[in-house]
PDB file of all heavy atoms in Angstrom:
ATOM      1  N   VAL A 174      17.406  16.675  28.444  1.00  0.00           N
ATOM      2  CA  VAL A 174      17.216  18.124  28.333  1.00  0.00           C
ATOM      3  C   VAL A 174      15.842  18.446  27.750  1.00  0.00           C
ATOM      4  O   VAL A 174      15.164  19.369  28.182  1.00  0.00           O
ATOM      5  CB  VAL A 174      18.333  18.729  27.461  1.00  0.00           C
ATOM      6  CG1 VAL A 174      18.070  20.221  27.210  1.00  0.00           C
ATOM      7  CG2 VAL A 174      19.689  18.560  28.151  1.00  0.00           C
ATOM      8  N   ALA A 175      15.430  17.654  26.747  1.00  0.00           N
ATOM      9  CA  ALA A 175      14.113  17.859  26.160  1.00  0.00           C
ATOM     10  C   ALA A 175      13.016  17.657  27.193  1.00  0.00           C
ATOM     11  O   ALA A 175      12.013  18.410  27.219  1.00  0.00           O
ATOM     12  CB  ALA A 175      13.922  16.889  25.004  1.00  0.00           C
ATOM     13  N   LEU A 176      13.161  16.691  28.076  1.00  0.00           N
ATOM     14  CA  LEU A 176      12.164  16.448  29.112  1.00  0.00           C
ATOM     15  C   LEU A 176      12.165  17.612  30.113  1.00  0.00           C
ATOM     16  O   LEU A 176      11.092  18.072  30.543  1.00  0.00           O
ATOM     17  CB  LEU A 176      12.450  15.118  29.841  1.00  0.00           C
ATOM     18  CG  LEU A 176      11.485  14.724  30.933  1.00  0.00           C
ATOM     19  CD1 LEU A 176      10.082  14.479  30.332  1.00  0.00           C
ATOM     20  CD2 LEU A 176      11.961  13.490  31.642  1.00  0.00           C
ATOM     21  N   GLU A 177      13.336  18.067  30.478  1.00  0.00           N
ATOM     22  CA  GLU A 177      13.449  19.188  31.424  1.00  0.00           C
ATOM     23  C   GLU A 177      12.762  20.456  30.877  1.00  0.00           C
ATOM     24  O   GLU A 177      12.167  21.224  31.626  1.00  0.00           O
ATOM     25  CB  GLU A 177      14.927  19.463  31.722  1.00  0.00           C
ATOM     26  CG  GLU A 177      15.175  20.600  32.671  1.00  0.00           C
ATOM     27  CD  GLU A 177      16.677  20.871  32.883  1.00  0.00           C
ATOM     28  OE1 GLU A 177      17.485  20.078  32.369  1.00  0.00           O
ATOM     29  OE2 GLU A 177      16.986  21.853  33.540  1.00  0.00           O
ATOM     30  N   ASN A 178      12.809  20.619  29.568  1.00  0.00           N
ATOM     31  CA  ASN A 178      12.235  21.810  28.942  1.00  0.00           C
ATOM     32  C   ASN A 178      10.843  21.558  28.345  1.00  0.00           C
ATOM     33  O   ASN A 178      10.352  22.407  27.590  1.00  0.00           O
ATOM     34  CB  ASN A 178      13.176  22.326  27.839  1.00  0.00           C
ATOM     35  CG  ASN A 178      14.391  23.002  28.403  1.00  0.00           C
ATOM     36  OD1 ASN A 178      14.358  24.179  28.755  1.00  0.00           O
ATOM     37  ND2 ASN A 178      15.509  22.275  28.494  1.00  0.00           N
ATOM     38  N   ARG A 179      10.255  20.448  28.698  1.00  0.00           N
ATOM     39  CA  ARG A 179       8.882  20.097  28.313  1.00  0.00           C
ATOM     40  C   ARG A 179       8.694  19.902  26.810  1.00  0.00           C
ATOM     41  O   ARG A 179       7.558  19.943  26.311  1.00  0.00           O
ATOM     42  CB  ARG A 179       7.883  21.148  28.820  1.00  0.00           C
ATOM     43  CG  ARG A 179       7.856  21.289  30.348  1.00  0.00           C
ATOM     44  CD  ARG A 179       6.766  22.195  30.804  1.00  0.00           C
ATOM     45  NE  ARG A 179       6.900  23.533  30.250  1.00  0.00           N
ATOM     46  CZ  ARG A 179       5.959  24.469  30.304  1.00  0.00           C
ATOM     47  NH1 ARG A 179       4.803  24.228  30.863  1.00  0.00           N
ATOM     48  NH2 ARG A 179       6.181  25.673  29.793  1.00  0.00           N
ATOM     49  N   LEU A 180       9.803  19.694  26.090  1.00  0.00           N
ATOM     50  CA  LEU A 180       9.660  19.367  24.685  1.00  0.00           C
ATOM     51  C   LEU A 180       9.073  17.987  24.485  1.00  0.00           C
ATOM     52  O   LEU A 180       8.329  17.736  23.533  1.00  0.00           O
ATOM     53  CB  LEU A 180      11.050  19.454  24.014  1.00  0.00           C
ATOM     54  CG  LEU A 180      11.162  18.996  22.550  1.00  0.00           C
ATOM     55  CD1 LEU A 180      10.241  19.795  21.660  1.00  0.00           C
ATOM     56  CD2 LEU A 180      12.604  19.169  22.065  1.00  0.00           C
ATOM     57  N   VAL A 181       9.390  17.068  25.393  1.00  0.00           N
ATOM     58  CA  VAL A 181       8.810  15.735  25.367  1.00  0.00           C
ATOM     59  C   VAL A 181       7.985  15.507  26.646  1.00  0.00           C
ATOM     60  O   VAL A 181       8.221  16.147  27.663  1.00  0.00           O
ATOM     61  CB  VAL A 181       9.851  14.626  25.192  1.00  0.00           C
ATOM     62  CG1 VAL A 181      10.597  14.796  23.875  1.00  0.00           C
ATOM     63  CG2 VAL A 181      10.826  14.557  26.340  1.00  0.00           C
ATOM     64  N   SER A 182       7.069  14.567  26.572  1.00  0.00           N
ATOM     65  CA  SER A 182       6.193  14.266  27.691  1.00  0.00           C
ATOM     66  C   SER A 182       6.738  13.216  28.602  1.00  0.00           C
ATOM     67  O   SER A 182       6.416  13.178  29.806  1.00  0.00           O
ATOM     68  CB  SER A 182       4.840  13.770  27.155  1.00  0.00           C
ATOM     69  OG  SER A 182       4.349  14.526  26.072  1.00  0.00           O
ATOM     70  N   HIS A 183       7.562  12.285  28.015  1.00  0.00           N
ATOM     71  CA  HIS A 183       7.989  11.112  28.757  1.00  0.00           C
ATOM     72  C   HIS A 183       9.267  10.582  28.119  1.00  0.00           C
ATOM     73  O   HIS A 183       9.382  10.609  26.880  1.00  0.00           O
ATOM     74  CB  HIS A 183       6.875  10.063  28.733  1.00  0.00           C
ATOM     75  CG  HIS A 183       7.195   8.799  29.438  1.00  0.00           C
ATOM     76  ND1 HIS A 183       6.934   8.613  30.793  1.00  0.00           N
ATOM     77  CD2 HIS A 183       7.756   7.635  29.030  1.00  0.00           C
ATOM     78  CE1 HIS A 183       7.299   7.408  31.165  1.00  0.00           C
ATOM     79  NE2 HIS A 183       7.819   6.795  30.108  1.00  0.00           N
ATOM     80  N   VAL A 184      10.172  10.086  28.906  1.00  0.00           N
ATOM     81  CA  VAL A 184      11.383   9.415  28.397  1.00  0.00           C
ATOM     82  C   VAL A 184      11.451   8.013  28.943  1.00  0.00           C
ATOM     83  O   VAL A 184      11.270   7.805  30.143  1.00  0.00           O
ATOM     84  CB  VAL A 184      12.666  10.208  28.783  1.00  0.00           C
ATOM     85  CG1 VAL A 184      13.903   9.438  28.359  1.00  0.00           C
ATOM     86  CG2 VAL A 184      12.642  11.593  28.139  1.00  0.00           C
ATOM     87  N   SER A 185      11.686   7.050  28.059  1.00  0.00           N
ATOM     88  CA  SER A 185      11.766   5.641  28.428  1.00  0.00           C
ATOM     89  C   SER A 185      13.132   5.091  28.044  1.00  0.00           C
ATOM     90  O   SER A 185      13.759   5.556  27.090  1.00  0.00           O
ATOM     91  CB  SER A 185      10.700   4.811  27.677  1.00  0.00           C
ATOM     92  OG  SER A 185       9.383   5.199  28.028  1.00  0.00           O
ATOM     93  N   PRO A 186      13.583   4.018  28.751  1.00  0.00           N
ATOM     94  CA  PRO A 186      14.716   3.227  28.194  1.00  0.00           C
ATOM     95  C   PRO A 186      14.336   2.770  26.787  1.00  0.00           C
ATOM     96  O   PRO A 186      13.168   2.501  26.494  1.00  0.00           O
ATOM     97  CB  PRO A 186      14.799   2.054  29.162  1.00  0.00           C
ATOM     98  CG  PRO A 186      14.166   2.548  30.431  1.00  0.00           C
ATOM     99  CD  PRO A 186      13.059   3.466  30.015  1.00  0.00           C
TER     100      PRO A 186
END
Side-chain angles (χ1 to χ4, degrees):
V174 174
L176 182 63
E177 180 182 353
N178 286 278
R179 299 187 300 169
L180 173 58
V181 299
S182 317
H183 180 89
V184 175
S185 296

